Amino acid sequence: MPIPETYELECDRCIPERYKHMALSNREQPVIPACNIKTVPGDMTERGCAFAGARGVVGGPIGDCIQMIHSPSGCAWYQWGTRRNLSTIYNWSGPGKLCNDSHNRRRAITTDLKEEDVVFGGVKKLKNACLETWRLTPGAGGILIYTTCTSGLIGDDCHAVAREVEKEIGKPVFVIEAPGFCGVSQSKGHHEFNVQFYKQMAEYREKHPEVCLKEEDKTPYDINIIGEFNMDWDLALIKPLFEKLGCRIVTVFTGGERMDNLLKMPDAKLNVLHCQRSCTYISNLIQQGYEVPYVRASFFGIEQTARALRDVAKFFKSEEMIDKAEQIIDKETKAITPALNFYREKLAGKKVGLYVGGPRVWHWTKVMKELGMEVVFGMCTFAHEDDYEKINARAEDSLFLVDAPNEFEIEECLERFKPDLFLTGLKEKYLARKFGVPTVNSHSYEKGPYAMFRGLINFARDIYQGIYAPVWKFTRDEDFTR
Amino acid sequence: MPRCGNSRVMRTSRDKEGKMERIKLNGRLTVEDINSLPEIPVEGINYEQIYIEKEPLCPEYVPPDETIISSAKRSVVIDPCRLCMPFGALWASVGMHKCIPFVQGAQGCATYPRYTFCRVFREPVSIATASFHEDTAVFGGQKNLVEGIRNLICRYQPDIISIVTVCSSEIIGDDMQGYLDEAKRQLEEEFGPEILDRVKFVITNTPSFAGSHVEGYNRAAKSFLQAFARQRSLSDKVNIIPGMITPGDIREVKHILRLMGIEGIILFDISGTLDCPLRLPQSMPYYPKGGTKLAEIADMANSLATFALSPDEGSAGATYLEKRFKIPAIIGPLPLGIYSTDRLVKKLAEVTGKPIPEELKDERGILLDAMADTFHYTMMRRVAVCGDPDIVAAATRFVCELGMEPVAILSGTQSKVFEQELKEMAEEYNFKPTIFNGGDMFEWEDFIKREKIDLILGNSKAVNISKEAGIPLVRIGFPIYDRVGYQRRANIGYRGGEYLLDLIVNTILDSKFPDDRVHQ
Amino acid sequence: MTGCISKAVKEAKMVSVCNINEPCMLRKGEEFTQPPPCRQPSAPGKITGRSCAYWGARWMLAPLKDAIHLVHGPVGCAYYGSVVRANAYQMFSTALEEKDIIFGGEKKLTGALIEARAIMPQAKYILTYITCSTALIGDDVDGVGRKMEERLGCPVITVNCPGFKGESEAAGHRVAYECLLNRLIGRKERQTGVYDVNIIGQYNIHETRIVGSLLSKMGLNVHCVFTGDASYERITAAHCVRLNLLICQNTGRFFTEAMQKKYGIPYLKVSFFSLSESIDSLRKIGQYFGLEKEAERVIDEEYKAIQPELAQFLPRLKGKRAAIFLGATHMADLVKTFEDLGMEVVFTGSRFGDAANYKDAWQMVKPGNCIVDDPSERDLEYLLCELRPDVFVGTVKEQSLSHKFGIGLCLCPPQTGSYVGFEGFSNFTRSVYKAVYAPVWHFIRGEMA
């Protein structure tokens, strides 16, 4: 259904093919804009490449592996210590002294392809690089080799290298082929990582059955948390609640997790799926391959977190667990109510615009309502149809939705809808400020974990700090605005 | 006591052992603590307040294998101190007025540089991409280029579109000139012939595997000048190709020119585009006010001389102007510190015939006064430097002028000029540094941890090394993203030298002098 | 003006810059065989380097850690007196205001003494400083102090050092030592060991450490260091030693002579500034106690330890020229030090030196070089311009001046470390090397200057 004329953005007049990417939400009859299709070239898109999705989002948080990037130095440099996906695993920097940053963020390891490698092939270099890095990193759990545009186009056979290296070092060596031009956005990278990782994991488990969880070690309440990347220590708030519920967490995919644990993923009883854009694929595959079901969950906001805990308890059909869930929800809600009331009072009626990758838009629509704020528009970079269905189900009617917005559209929406706050990422942060609109970083957070009950206070606080910073008052001074 | 902020919070009861534990935790809370607090304070609890028990990767420290520490003996590059070539060309394009760079490649090659610019300069940067998908890799990027340029022009109306290639477009062998011609033909059809007067195009070939960002800027300098410089009537202006220095540095160059009464044209002037005020109402689309204009770059062919301040970043442009228009090219060194700034000022005076003004001499005197006041703190201190070749060579010379001893010098990009300059400096000031020309930060880090070093001059990537080795860090060069304000300050010129000297001496005083000693 | 003065300096006439007939700079040679007169009051307005008696008293008494230092006067004196030799000390002050000056400050002083004692109950005694204002309004600080002694339970000692006393800081030095001598020394008794010594005239903590360690290595027992390391226990029993070692003869001679007269303790004049003096002093002390062998061993050990560093710097410093302007005693000590370095001293001077100091300096300085007493700022400028030394040893007040003339300044006493003993000699060599060879002088003397 095309959007009404009043909603057509001026900046897209000469590229009317963008209008099919916009929609107004509707609860009864969900409206899905065109999504996950080719980007319009030259429209100043915000999308990234598949390599970012594969290595940056899903592969990066793996805590103890060597992340070997088979490319010229740029691709590795751009991802060196950028996202704050923290972990407990640290390497040594000197006798008795640990490194300043966790292992997955500390180093950028690349083969730095040069002209002769592009012409003659880089497999020999890759093999040597893997073995040298292995010698320099004792204790690593495995190697993940990523290919990029360059190595994808020159056709290096990285799987062969992986097999040879695996034979030599005796630990898993996986190859993730997600070159940048793959797919239309980061989303393809997520997909490729999930599929390829699953395939290689299944093969490895067959060849080395000792890495699987032994029968006697399994408990009836084993779960995995899938799609949680431990931004700013979200896991410090997530894990304890599930443990209090009575579950045992076998592995987290992939926040700060060890390779050994990741290989035990199919041995759990239930997968709790948080980021449903990047990791639904592997949950489906595990369900097909190992008959482990999954339950969708959202760890943001009071209502959604409560539902997640209840769903998990219901799955296990244990009275004790269901009671426990209620107790936890009660206690947690009490713990945050005083602070939350303070913020609700301050944020009542404020308008907020959402622009995140995909799932966070629907994760946070309910959260905004809980905080008393009104969502004026929602935009996603790489969402698929199911994401838009969920947004339609949760948002108020006639919410303006844009798929894969570009910079000009963002500017126009900011001017047209005039939100008090814009929840977005780093690139748009500085743009929004030039228009006098405060922002909160929605990908890597500003300060502190935002998940579950207790993290909501941090989220509310950062929003409050954005809206009430004294500087915005000065930007509107009459004498100085032209 | 754990830092809980709000006094309404009840403390969990702890005995004496708990008290010792809390002291060890340095005011932070364990995961268990956070989840059992009966009430969360209004300030919330951030991740830096959470005490995380760190797990070492292996039980004990194992010193790295000696045979593969040096980067020359390794295939793998660990912690490179360089980026890929397109970034330099993008930096150059961003310095032009109403110029939008168009990256012929996958979306990542535009988004990542945008992230980098945003982090370092804290400004919005617009970079368009051709959005390569799988079919492009098979069939070539013509359709993307033609469609992309058309969309860009009709929505943004830029003055210049700077087309930058990346490794994927170079490997699949896109014929950029041919595609551009096709694009122009279609534009003419759609918008009429005047469109080609309003919008100009430049193509810079920057395959990422053939060099680093330093070379990218160099190539962009040449391609822009090739495309736009036109000789009309000779003027008495002076061209400046700054290289990859901060907006504050460029403002300092303008200040020196203004004091001397010289009119200068600064190519790729990011002081007008990457450091802009917040003034409402904002016009749409967002275009910064400044940057080098097209008319200025055309005028560069008429000047008296071209000064390429960074030898490796921009000298290609200067030599092009020399060959084509017979404009003398004066290449480097970067005017950081007394000797190099003196050379620039003297050369400017020589070329334009203008005298060196009193104010400039006073500024020089103030810097010398600062150096005279502080040599007791700086002399014979051992320094390690890392970064891009031009800024590293310049900073090393400055550090020698302060009487310090450079010990470990790392240039991320291999450079002959850099090596030559360091050799001259070593003879002049009589020291023997260890030079890592084109190495990576892993071997530099290993060297630093074995030697006794008093100070590191480096970029933000050296923070981990500085914390681990316990050596204070003074931030200089590119990129600096974990502190604010460095892009607004100058390091070059006399005033920049004062600022850098203050930073260096204060850092030494913070770390080497006990707090109870009051300066006499 | 410059031509006039250089002619005068060349002819070594007695010269004055401010048209006042006071001789202050003399060139040693055939025409002048005696040092210039000293301890004269400074002419008003000449921009002298001297300070006041309160400064002198603080210079002596600040390191006494277990005392309460209470300044009876307006708040400025306390503020300035809280930093001595680059260390910050805690100060108490009565902070007198207008009404106190009019109606008298004794009541405020009483209250302050009680409060200070309550804040620092662990202090062993109280020192009350009299300043210009309180001396002029006639507060009976001493009377108040003695009355409060019983109530406070500790001695309350008045330091009578108003700023206008005497002609320079030297007056304050004497007052300080008098207080210690009259009110503290002799209160307790102890067993006198065979090798017990006091060190008089050592104020700097780092210097104290170095000299103390040299003497202990020789087998001596350092009882009390006046005033670098003097606790109440040690001061009160300081008269029970075998020998006093006098290091700073300007400030300490009065004290050692008084102790000799009162308690019969002999004194030995020693110096640990400069290599040759340190060696001589250690030998002299060894000879006195019969510890010659130990003295030689210590000298040997220490000298070997600094050899490598000296070998690195000495060849490059040979033949350079130096100038000195300090308090009093170091004026002569440093001439010897520079001799050890192979450098020539072109002029040396002091702010408040006495006849004995100048006699020493006169003997050490080579003919053709200048001695200066209490020069004004312009005198210093002319000396620096005319004689152009390569390094200037002075205090922080002269630092920026000498730098503007392109001459490196070496602070004495230094900010960190010290210049006494063998280790100190090597520190000094390094500091002088830095000052002479800092790359900045090369730029200042370039064509753009």
Side-chain angles (χ1 to χ4, degrees), chain A residues 11-12 14-15 38-49 52 64 68 72-74 77-80 82 84 86 88-90 92-95 97-101 103 106-115 118 125 128-129 132-133 135-139 149-150 153 180-185 232-233 236-237 240 244 258 335 338-339 342-343 406-409 411-412 415 426-427 430-431 433-436 447-449 454 457-458 461 475 481-482, chain B residues 31 34-47 50 52-62 64-65 67-68 73-80 82-84 87 100 102 106-108 111-116 118-119 122-135 137 144 147-148 150-152 154-156 167-168 171-172 208-210 276-278 280-286 441-442 445 449 461 464-465 467-470 478-479:
Chain A
C11 57
D12 287 340
C14 42
I15 41 169
K38 282 208 205 134
T39 323
V40 176
D43 70 347
M44 208 74 75
T45 179
E46 302 283 329
R47 284 176 160 177
C49 66
D64 67 345
M68 171 69 65
S73 55
W77 194 96
Y78 285 125
Q79 296 211 343
W80 183 9
T82 48
R84 265 207 308 273
L86 307 174
T88 51
I89 303 172
Y90 282 72
W92 294 102
S93 98
K97 196 154 184 229
L98 288 174
C99 274
N100 196 42
D101 213 350
H103 177 71
R106 177 65 178 84
R107 300 221 180 268
I109 304 179
T110 169
T111 45
D112 196 17
L113 295 177
K114 291 265 160 14
E115 202 135 25
V118 168
K125 199 172 194 190
N128 285 339
E132 282 163 7
T133 322
R135 272 154 66 197
L136 289 171
T137 326
C149 296
T150 325
L153 285 170
F181 51 75
C182 223
V184 298
S185 66
D232 273 4
W233 277 111
L237 298 177
K244 275 193 200 143
R258 291 184 183 268
F342 171 77
Y343 288 118
N406 49 59
E407 201 180 287
F408 208 161
E409 286 168 8
E411 290 175 25
E412 196 169 324
E415 285 289 289
L426 179 65
K427 298 194 300 296
Y430 298 108
L431 184 67
R433 273 146 210 236
K434 294 291 189 206
F435 285 86
K447 299 187 286 289
R454 299 183 186 238
I457 304 294
N458 290 336
R461 177 206 62 213
T475 58
T481 51
R482 216 161 275 167
Chain B
V31 175
I34 293 181
N35 281 295
S36 56
L37 279 175
E39 199 179 295
I40 298 275
V42 159
E43 300 91 44
I45 299 187
N46 303 338
Y47 68 94
I50 305 179
I52 301 291
E53 190 77 50
K54 295 182 186 170
E55 296 169 42
L57 197 58
C58 55
E60 252 184 25
Y61 170 69
V62 174
D65 193 335
T67 51
I68 49 171
K73 302 198 186 121
R74 261 189 277 133
S75 297
V76 68
V77 168
I78 305 183
D79 297 349
R82 56 183 174 273
L83 282 85
C84 51
F87 186 82
I100 299 205
F102 184 89
Q107 284 157 180
T111 310
Y112 277 131
R114 282 181 75 192
Y115 270 123
T116 311
C118 285
R119 270 198 190 95
R122 298 180 192 257
E123 291 282 326
V125 171
S126 312
I127 301 180
T129 167
S131 295
F132 271 27
H133 301 313
E134 275 109 337
D135 51 346
N144 297 61
E147 204 182 319
R150 180 247 170 216
N151 291 337
L152 208 53
C154 81
R155 294 172 89 220
Y156 281 85
C167 53
S168 36
I171 293 181
I172 62 179
S208 52
F209 42 78
C276 298
L278 197 170
L280 294 181
Q282 192 60 258
S283 57
M284 283 199 299
Y286 172 76
M441 293 179 85
F442 182 72
E445 174 188 340
K449 286 180 179 167
K461 298 290 186 195
N464 282 330
I465 301 175
K467 290 252 159 71
E468 287 164 13
F478 170 81

Side-chain angles (χ1 to χ4, degrees), chain A residues 41, chain B residues 102 104-105 130 132 135-148 169 172-176 179:
Chain B
F102 184 89
Q104 178 76 352
F132 271 27
D135 51 346
T136 331
V138 174
F139 296 117
Q142 171 166 338
K143 188 156 154 299
N144 297 61
L145 181 79
V146 171
E147 204 182 319
S169 41
I172 62 179
D174 271 351
D175 169 20
M176 301 309 295
Y179 297 169

Side-chain angles (χ1 to χ4, degrees), chain B residues 170-236:
Chain B
E170 292 284 331
I171 293 181
I172 62 179
D174 271 351
D175 169 20
M176 301 309 295
Q177 193 54 53
Y179 297 169
L180 182 61
D181 290 336
E182 174 63 26
K184 282 187 188 167
R185 197 187 58 74
Q186 287 197 15
L187 284 171
E188 246 182 320
E189 246 181 62
E190 190 177 339
F191 298 105
E194 20 352 296
I195 190 76
L196 294 180
D197 289 325
R198 281 216 314 267
V199 185
K200 301 290 178 195
F201 299 90
V202 192
I203 302 178
T204 318
N205 286 82
T206 49
S208 52
F209 42 78
S212 80
H213 59 296
V214 166
E215 177 61 24
Y217 187 99
N218 213 13
R219 288 195 187 191
K222 182 164 179 199
S223 57
F224 267 82
L225 287 170
Q226 251 175 338
F228 297 127
R230 296 277 171 271
Q231 195 161 57
R232 298 241 156 72
S233 58
L234 300 179
S235 72
D236 57 356

